[in-house]
Amino acid sequence: MTPDRSAAHADDLSRLANGVLWPGFFGAELPDWLAAELRGGLAGVVYFAQNLSPHLDRLSAAIHDANPRALIGIDEEGGSVTRLEGLTGSTVPGAAQLGALDDLAATRATGVELARRVREAGGDVLIGPVADVNTDPRNPVIGVRAFGAQTGLVSRHAAAEIEGIQGSGVAACAKHFPGHGDTAVDSHHGLPRIAGDPAEFDRVHVEPFRAAIAAGALSVMTAHIVVPAWGEAPATLNPRVLGMLRAEGFDGVIVTDALDMAAIRESVGIGGGAVGALAAGADLLCIGNPTNPGDAAAVDQDQRDFHAAKDAIVEALADGTLSVQRVAEAGARVARLADLLAAERAGAEAVPPADMRDIVRRSLTVRGDLGAPTGGLAVLDARRRATLAVDSAAPYVVDALAAGGWSRRVDVERAGAAEIAGAVDEARSAASASGSRIAVLVDRIDTDEAQRRFVAAVADAAPGAVVVNVGLPGADVALPVVDVRASSRIAAELAREMLVRA
């Protein structure tokens, strides 16, 4: 092969690899390296919190200028998971709230509003809804992100939200196939294994994805989970599992969950995961968030992770380990999706903003007697620390609930009896001085014994206190509970409205 032909061949392989890659990146402006890859056929990008600024629309325009077919993905579920309102908290209902309300019109309306916001930001793919059935109450990564624990409920609401999202130039991406609801391990940190009867798993957990396909979902995201009955490879890398999607008649884009998650990074690596996922039948590879390593992240972590995936694909194409035809097929699916969305946007009418407060208000439920409203709230925040998937300890929840009043964070898993007693005494003093009552903010009162013990300690010392639960409802405790089912600003504001005099 002559040097010119060799260079052309290398360029062809580079463009082929780029057409199936979906990286995250640092900064609120388009980096030069990323602009060059976009001009070289990169499939698009995924936005994370570090990319947000008041000028997000300009960043999106720059990405689309570099590659008009680029797909911008945004993880905007509403409720506890938001990118567009990451600093202030979501003002859109979350899945558990919608499932508790069980009003399909409300779920469709939520999908429409989520899509409007994604489109306004210049996005193309809304990475949602969650179609997982949360059957394991200990689940550390799904929880209130799911519509519920019943297959039928999740199926009908996933379909309704997809119907609301799609049709105006935004694609839904149902996740996490074949179902991440029956796990007690976070795939950001390990590789969950789901044993048991595969027929039962199919009936309970795969069924909502059938509903999503029937509703016209344009993309589906995989899960990094192992179902031993279907093989020892994670679903993302398992041709049998991904083949199940195609057997159901799905011809849209199969998207991987992030390849930088520990379930992949610490087993086969990002490069091995990229090649394996394509070989298994995936079409678009989400590389992940370069801030995930935390303080260990390199200043060029975004480029390192991107090239770990791209270079491995190019090498596998060059040596024949990976079929050129398979990668070309994947890239063609991604390009078709981009073309379809562009055509939809060209003919779509503008959608006015919608106020979601009434939907969220109707989803809040109360256990016990709240008593009369008081002049304010002194908030004891007993929530768990944030995870990579959900910022369950987000400060905007406390800010909205306390509204400028007294608050204190208590790490109830680590705090000793003296520290807990001191925090409760401080809360009692603050509440007494301001004519307020104590509100205990929790997120895992259903399964976390430390949170339940803390609530019991508060009840003993301050029987007029109340619990605000942003997690899933659980067994009754010694205090009245407002179940809001989302760590969101709007949910906290509405819980406060129930508890405080106007």
Side-chain angles (χ1 to χ4, degrees):
M1 185 178 291
T2 66
D4 285 348
R5 290 183 63 189
S6 177
H9 180 63
D11 286 345
D12 288 343
L13 296 185
S14 174
R15 182 168 286 272
L16 199 59
N18 269 350
V20 297
L21 290 174
W22 220 23
F25 63 98
F26 288 131
E29 296 183 358
L30 182 60
D32 290 342
W33 74 268
L34 186 56
E37 298 293 350
L38 286 161
R39 290 191 292 271
L42 184 65
V45 302
V46 178
Y47 284 159
F48 293 96
Q50 70 268 12
N51 306 125
L52 302 185
S53 81
H55 310 297
L56 185 61
D57 56 340
R58 294 208 307 242
L59 173 60
S60 299
I63 289 167
H64 287 134
D65 284 347
N67 180 2
R69 270 183 164 173
L71 294 172
I72 297 174
I74 306 180
D75 212 355
E76 192 66 18
E77 297 175 13
S80 298
V81 176
T82 177
R83 299 291 180 261
L84 298 178
E85 297 183 289
L87 296 178
T88 58
S90 178
T91 54
V92 178
Q97 292 172 329
L98 294 168
L101 189 57
D102 199 10
D103 177 345
L104 295 180
T107 300
R108 284 191 200 91
T110 300
V112 170
E113 176 61 13
L114 285 168
R116 185 197 67 77
R117 295 179 182 204
V118 166
R119 184 69 249 137
E120 185 176 64
D124 305 285
V125 181
L126 191 160
I127 307 175
V130 170
D132 303 314
V133 183
N134 194 69
T135 53
D136 190 333
R138 302 167 300 164
N139 199 316
V141 69
I142 304 300
V144 295
R145 298 170 64 199
F147 291 107
Q150 293 79 41
T151 300
L153 177 77
V154 173
S155 295
R156 61 180 177 267
H157 283 276
E161 188 160 300
I162 288 165
E163 291 164 0
I165 291 168
Q166 295 189 164
S168 61
V170 173
C173 184
K175 58 188 183 185
H176 308 80
F177 184 81
H180 209 313
D182 191 25
T183 69
V185 174
D186 183 345
S187 51
H188 291 83
H189 301 291
L191 182 58
R193 293 176 62 85
I194 300 175
D197 180 5
E200 178 71 2
F201 185 88
D202 180 275
R203 183 187 67 78
V204 173
H205 296 280
V206 177
E207 190 61 32
F209 293 93
R210 296 189 179 99
I213 293 168
L218 294 170
S219 60
V220 172
M221 177 172 277
T222 66
H224 303 326
I225 62 169
V226 172
V227 181
W230 296 335
E232 286 298 317
T236 299
L237 312 180
N238 190 324
R240 178 174 178 181
V241 175
L242 300 192
M244 291 163 56
L245 270 174
R246 299 303 183 203
E248 294 291 342
F250 179 66
D251 193 36
V253 174
I254 297 178
V255 183
T256 71
D257 206 346
L259 298 178
D260 70 337
M261 292 162 62
I264 301 298
R265 184 196 284 271
E266 295 181 8
S267 56
V268 296
I270 291 177
V275 172
L278 287 167
D283 303 307
L284 183 58
L285 312 183
C286 179
I287 296 173
N289 185 350
T291 69
N292 279 348
D295 293 340
V299 294
D300 61 345
Q301 192 69 48
D302 50 358
Q303 296 180 65
R304 293 186 186 200
D305 289 351
F306 171 75
H307 282 291
K310 180 178 178 178
D311 294 352
I313 294 169
V314 169
E315 182 178 345
L317 289 168
D319 67 16
T321 305
L322 188 60
S323 160
V324 168
Q325 181 180 357
R326 166 78 271 274
V327 181
E329 172 194 54
R333 277 203 182 93
V334 175
R336 283 200 303 272
L337 176 58
D339 291 343
L340 171 64
L341 297 179
E344 284 185 356
R345 285 194 295 273
E349 296 182 0
V351 176
D355 186 347
M356 301 275 101
R357 293 178 72 83
D358 182 60
I359 294 175
V360 176
R361 183 181 289 109
R362 290 191 290 130
S363 75
L364 271 56
T365 55
V366 175
R367 289 179 281 149
D369 182 5
L370 294 181
T374 59
L377 297 173
V379 180
L380 285 166
D381 182 3
R383 294 173 297 166
R384 296 166 304 159
R385 292 178 294 278
T387 68
L388 292 175
V390 181
D391 190 2
S392 56
Y396 46 72
V397 177
V398 173
D399 293 344
L401 197 59
W406 183 93
S407 66
R408 175 171 169 177
R409 173 112 172 109
V410 183
D411 187 343
V412 296
E413 290 188 6
R414 299 181 180 181
E419 182 180 346
I420 287 175
V424 175
D425 283 344
E426 282 186 39
R428 289 175 62 197
S429 296
S432 177
S434 60
S436 301
R437 74 193 297 189
I438 297 173
V440 185
L441 182 59
V442 298
D443 63 348
R444 288 311 290 261
I445 200 171
D446 55 330
T447 60
D448 190 323
E449 184 59 34
Q451 288 190 9
R452 288 199 293 268
R453 285 198 304 268
F454 184 68
V455 170
V458 174
D460 286 342
V466 65
V467 173
V468 176
N469 177 25
V470 297
L472 295 172
D476 289 339
V477 291
L479 293 173
V481 180
V482 180
D483 287 309
V484 300
R485 300 176 176 85
S487 289
S488 67
R489 174 161 56 96
I490 190 171
E493 289 174 347
L494 292 172
R496 179 180 173 83
E497 283 185 10
M498 299 174 68
L499 298 169
V500 176
R501 288 192 298 269

